[in-house]
Amino acid sequence: TLVPLFEDEALWQPLRSMALQDARVLIVDDSPSNRKMMRRILLERFTELDDAENGQVALDKYVASFGAPQVSAETSGDDDTSGSSGSSSSASPDQRPYDIIFMDGVMPVMDGLAATQAIPQATPPPPPPPLTPSSGTTAIRRPLFHRTLILGVTGNGQDEDMKRFFDAGADHVFVKPLKLAQLLSYLNYFFLTNAT
């Protein structure tokens, strides 16, 4: 999918008005150096970054961000940094759903394609409204874009690799190294074309 680069400052206003710097971002890549490089790029615009070394860890963190138990016990509890005990029924203030997930393709345990397919299926339904205003129920913040965007990140731009990501359900696919201008243009394009 071709995404136009927005050079007109006026076209950036909708994206700026969304307090994009508050978006919660998950970087999924099995390479520590790649995760570090992505962090360096994304810190120019985002402030809340998290990472995962494979698709299973990403899936567990995604589910935990809604205050729900983890999906699988395949990952070690010693390495869990989500802060979730797996038994909480409501989200704490720092347990906010991820707004954007950057997903590498080839990873151990669970690859990026499998995780991209699994994440939407693991999304819990919106919680019911509290019975009374004073019930004390904590509302879960929904993602900035009304759902979590999954953006594939691949080491090559071959059509078949990008098609696999799209077929798995990715919203868009970027070729490494990620360029911030291209990312912001896509987010602005997505917002404009999906605004209600």
Side-chain angles (χ1 to χ4, degrees):
T1 304
L2 294 178
V3 177
L5 289 175
F6 294 105
E7 298 179 356
D8 186 341
E9 281 290 308
L11 291 174
W12 287 91
Q13 190 56 40
L15 190 60
R16 288 198 180 103
S17 68
M18 299 177 68
L20 189 63
Q21 70 273 11
D22 295 330
R24 192 175 187 207
V25 177
L26 178 62
I27 302 166
V28 189
D29 198 303
D30 61 316
S31 166
S33 60
N34 285 348
R35 295 198 301 271
K36 183 176 180 180
M37 180 179 66
M38 287 280 288
R39 276 184 171 271
R40 188 165 58 246
I41 294 170
L42 294 172
L43 278 172
E44 293 184 34
R45 186 57 63 97
F46 303 93
T47 58
E48 189 170 353
L49 303 178
D50 194 6
D51 56 49
E53 62 269 29
N54 61 60
Q56 182 63 62
V57 174
L59 180 61
D60 287 344
K61 286 191 171 189
Y62 175 77
V63 174
S65 74
F66 287 90
Q70 294 186 352
V71 172
S72 169
E74 288 182 32
T75 55
S76 171
D78 295 335
D79 295 329
D80 179 70
T81 58
S82 66
S84 171
S85 65
S87 61
S88 176
S89 59
S90 62
S92 65
D94 59 345
Q95 283 182 317
R96 300 185 295 119
Y98 293 102
D99 298 293
I100 305 169
I101 297 177
F102 292 94
M103 188 71 72
D104 186 31
V106 180
M107 294 179 289
V109 185
M110 177 186 286
D111 65 26
L113 301 181
T116 298
Q117 290 177 317
I119 283 172
Q121 299 174 10
T123 303
L131 296 179
T132 63
S134 59
S135 65
T137 302
T138 301
I140 296 177
R141 170 193 174 277
R142 305 306 290 179
L144 188 65
F145 297 96
H146 306 296
R147 64 178 176 83
T148 300
L149 298 184
I150 302 178
L151 306 178
V153 184
T154 178
N156 61 71
Q158 295 183 2
D159 290 342
E160 57 267 29
D161 289 339
M162 300 181 78
K163 183 178 184 299
R164 290 191 194 101
F165 254 124
F166 282 120
D167 289 345
D171 292 285
H172 195 66
V173 184
F174 294 94
V175 179
K176 297 178 183 178
L178 179 69
K179 294 179 175 60
L180 186 61
Q182 292 179 341
L183 167 63
L184 295 178
S185 283
Y186 171 73
L187 295 179
N188 197 62
Y189 170 79
F190 181 90
F191 176 74
L192 289 174
T193 55
N194 289 271
T196 55

